[in-house]
Amino acid sequence: MPFSVGAVILAAGEGKRLKLREPKPLAPCLDKRLVDFSILEVEKFFNNNKINGCITAVIGHQREKVQSYIAERYSNVKYAIQEKQVGTGDALKSYFNSSADTLNYDYTLVLCADTPLITAHEMEQLFVEINSKNFDGVAAVFDEKNPYGYGRIVRGEKGFKIVEEKDADEVVKKITEVNSGVYILKTSYVVEHLKSITSNNKAGEFYLTDVFSQDRNVEALSFQSAKPFLGVNTLLQLEEVESLLRDKIKANHRDNGVRFIDFKNCYIDTDVKIGFGTVIYPGVHLSGKTIIGEDVIIENGAIIKDSKIENKAKVLAYSVLESATLRIKSQAGPFARLRPGADLGEESKIGNFVEIKKAVLEKGVKVSHLSYVGDAFIGEESNIGCGFITCNYDGANKHVTKIGKNCFIGSDVQTIAPVEIGDDCFVAAASTVTHSVPNGGFAISRGKQITKEAMASKFIKKKNK
Ligand code: UD1
Ligand code: MG
């Protein structure tokens, strides 16, 4: 499409009703903030339609905070400052006053920072409507059984006007066709008509909605579903919107062949990737940049952040993973903790109450019970017994334990790092390894057992009854 569009995201309002410390555009929503959603979707709309466009955020309340958040993430967003929040019409004027470039775009697309369910699809529909039918302005509208709080659409012979809740009489209040707050307008048209809006209304605000009128060449485009336009004004609405966004993400995964045992009861962030045939049990949280392969099983209550789980791996119940890697057919849990840098090789296994940190376990390694493996390397097919501990910290620095391949490390062994155990070694149970063991070596370090016959009774205490 050879057209240019200036997109404006209105984000200057205070959002008092939301009752958060953060300004409304920065309200947390999944792993992002409210304002991210409209920015990302406008970018998509521009890219999908090859539109020459620019995004500007109108900021005001706590504007330094809002601007620095956006600027850290998006280099292409511009800013307009609205000094006083005296209405959406004034906010749009601030946009046009921010730079002469704003006047050069064929169309101006207006969105609010608090509608995170809007998608490029609705923007495309608005664009097609204004462009194909040569309207001066198109507002997205929908039917709402409980229209309280919304501007009502009062259709006229040619166009329509929007009457705000505060200004509506009893007849108008009954109208269920409402304004979404999303519009596309010819830039020349909106600039012209913004000049004449006044604050002669109950709120004493400059309403952007006054650029529409019943005798103008404008259209109220009716959308079947209100969902894309749901706004966040309260914490309850934030919860509802987050829940819908989450369902949308999960439904996408389901469409791609991911099976949920309890669809409602699991939490998946926006950027997580999951492969075909994977099964997700209830109570699972997947967040950050997590990538999960095909035919993976993630059992109940697993919490997985920024981790990579390869095909056919299993994360058993109540395991917690952060910045960890599970390679093909490896398995962790139940109750395993994988901290940053844990790297479980192909077909390796860690079991219950095992903590792994900054450690590489090569193919086939097993650490089945109650162990701590930190700053370590364990070679292929080595088996580590129960209660193994790498003593990696001397109070100031961390040191490395290296264990070769095909080793057998008995239960209750500690390695005092730095220390190296070669390939094919055997370390006897209950040993404390302080010196390196060469390839093929056997190491034992434990007190000799003394046994005295019939002496137990001397030590067994009788309870007073
Ligand atoms: C607005 C519409 C209403 C519509 C509703 C949909 C007007 C006059 N009314 O009402 O018809 O049904 O949205 O949700 O536009 N903002 C600024 N500067 C301001 C005031 C607001 O930037 O001075 C921003 C807010 O941060 C917000 C957006 O504009 O992102 C909308 O403002 P809000 O106060 O929520 O308008 P509504 O009363 O919801
Ligand atoms: Mg609102």
Side-chain angles (χ1 to χ4, degrees):
M1 290 184 205
F3 293 100
S4 60
V5 176
V8 195
I9 299 177
L10 303 183
E14 187 174 346
K16 251 191 202 149
R17 288 169 289 171
L18 193 54
K19 300 202 175 109
L20 279 179
R21 289 201 176 83
E22 301 286 357
K24 180 148 94 169
L26 302 190
C29 188
L30 302 187
D31 52 342
K32 298 190 160 35
R33 306 299 179 107
L34 276 185
V35 71
D36 285 299
F37 293 86
S38 12
I39 296 176
L40 289 169
E41 288 300 319
V42 175
E43 281 180 346
K44 219 186 263 176
F45 165 59
F46 286 168
N47 291 336
N48 290 353
N49 298 286
K50 298 191 172 56
I51 283 175
N52 161 27
C54 175
I55 304 173
T56 304
V58 179
I59 51 176
H61 179 73
Q62 293 203 39
R63 67 183 192 228
E64 293 83 7
K65 230 176 164 180
V66 179
Q67 181 167 351
S68 70
Y69 176 86
I70 299 175
E72 263 172 38
R73 286 157 185 83
Y74 310 93
S75 54
N76 53 346
V77 173
K78 296 192 168 132
Y79 305 90
I81 291 165
Q82 186 191 21
E83 291 296 346
K84 269 195 190 153
Q85 283 70 66
V86 289
T88 47
D90 181 70
L92 197 60
K93 276 187 191 171
S94 311
Y95 161 68
F96 287 117
N97 290 336
S98 70
S99 146
D101 293 345
T102 58
L103 306 173
N104 295 333
Y105 294 99
D106 300 317
Y107 296 108
T108 300
L109 172 71
V110 182
L111 305 156
C112 297
D114 62 356
T115 52
L117 288 159
I118 184 100
T119 71
H121 182 62
E122 288 78 47
M123 300 177 204
E124 272 155 26
Q125 284 173 275
L126 285 172
F127 185 80
V128 167
E129 186 74 7
I130 196 164
N131 195 35
S132 63
K133 299 186 183 158
N134 200 24
F135 286 118
D136 289 327
V138 178
V141 307
F142 58 91
D143 209 60
E144 173 60 60
K145 268 196 212 101
N146 176 13
Y148 180 81
Y150 284 103
R152 310 297 205 283
I153 304 300
V154 185
R155 290 183 182 264
E157 286 253 313
K158 199 167 168 214
F160 65 97
K161 66 175 177 178
I162 301 176
V163 180
E164 293 303 308
E165 177 76 36
K166 280 187 181 161
D167 306 302
D169 60 27
E170 288 312 310
V171 178
V172 170
K173 274 185 185 161
K174 290 205 172 71
I175 296 175
T176 55
E177 192 174 30
V178 299
N179 172 27
S180 70
V182 180
Y183 326 95
I184 191 159
L185 301 126
K186 277 189 185 156
T187 301
S188 52
Y189 170 89
V190 66
V191 169
E192 180 59 30
H193 289 282
L194 270 181
K195 284 183 192 151
S196 52
I197 62 168
T198 69
S199 57
N200 291 334
N201 50 56
K202 289 265 170 59
E205 285 188 5
F206 293 91
Y207 292 158
L208 163 57
T209 43
D210 284 350
V211 302
F212 296 101
S213 139
Q214 288 172 317
D215 54 1
R216 292 185 190 151
N217 178 32
V218 290
E219 168 71 344
L221 180 64
S222 191
F223 283 77
Q224 281 302 306
S225 166
K227 262 190 203 169
F229 307 105
L230 288 182
V232 174
N233 295 313
T234 63
L235 280 175
L236 174 64
Q237 286 171 328
L238 180 61
E239 267 175 40
E240 289 167 350
V241 156
E242 267 193 302
S243 167
L244 287 167
L245 279 165
R246 248 188 228 113
D247 286 355
K248 205 162 114 179
I249 292 170
K250 285 183 279 188
N252 261 333
H253 288 302
R254 186 166 53 193
D255 289 348
N256 294 329
V258 175
R259 190 161 82 88
F260 293 94
I261 303 298
D262 182 357
F263 182 85
K264 259 287 166 205
N265 183 19
C266 45
Y267 304 84
I268 301 177
D269 277 345
T270 41
D271 297 329
V272 172
K273 296 191 172 52
I274 312 178
F276 186 92
T278 287
V279 184
I280 312 278
Y281 282 70
V284 166
H285 290 239
L286 305 175
S287 65
K289 305 267 176 246
T290 294
I291 299 175
I292 295 176
E294 296 188 1
D295 301 311
V296 168
I297 291 177
I298 313 279
E299 284 192 353
N300 303 51
I303 299 177
I304 303 177
K305 187 179 175 195
D306 294 329
S307 295
K308 183 163 186 259
I309 316 238
E310 294 183 356
N311 297 353
K312 297 191 176 167
K314 286 185 188 164
V315 178
L316 304 187
Y318 305 107
S319 295
V320 179
L321 281 66
E322 185 183 349
S323 302
T325 304
L326 257 72
R327 299 192 186 268
I328 296 176
K329 292 186 183 167
S330 60
Q331 179 175 314
F335 301 101
R337 178 155 186 227
L338 272 67
R339 292 169 51 203
D343 184 339
L344 304 196
E346 240 177 272
E347 295 177 36
S348 65
K349 267 189 192 171
I350 66 158
N352 42 270
F353 309 110
V354 171
E355 176 178 342
I356 311 275
K357 185 218 70 166
K358 210 173 167 190
V360 174
L361 277 56
E362 283 201 322
K363 186 175 177 193
V365 166
K366 289 192 182 65
V367 186
S368 297
H369 336 263
L370 295 154
S371 292
Y372 171 63
V373 181
D375 302 289
F377 173 90
I378 304 178
E380 265 182 52
E381 303 297 339
S382 284
N383 186 83
I384 313 291
C386 175
F388 170 75
I389 299 171
T390 52
C391 305
N392 59 332
Y393 188 48
D394 62 11
N397 297 301
K398 303 280 168 61
H399 302 282
V400 172
T401 293
K402 224 176 146 216
I403 298 174
K405 59 184 179 191
N406 301 317
C407 288
F408 179 90
I409 310 292
S411 293
D412 190 28
V413 164
Q414 308 92 48
T415 55
I416 312 296
V419 74
E420 201 169 326
I421 296 170
D423 295 339
D424 307 301
C425 290
F426 190 110
V427 176
S431 293
T432 303
V433 180
T434 49
H435 296 95
S436 292
V437 182
N439 288 347
F442 168 83
I444 183 166
S445 74
R446 66 165 94 115
K448 231 180 181 167
Q449 181 172 332
I450 298 165
T451 307
K452 306 269 185 186
E453 277 179 32
M455 204 166 162
S457 58
K458 236 178 115 175
F459 295 92
I460 293 173
K461 304 244 172 359
K462 293 257 171 353
K463 277 186 194 159
N464 295 329
K465 285 202 173 150

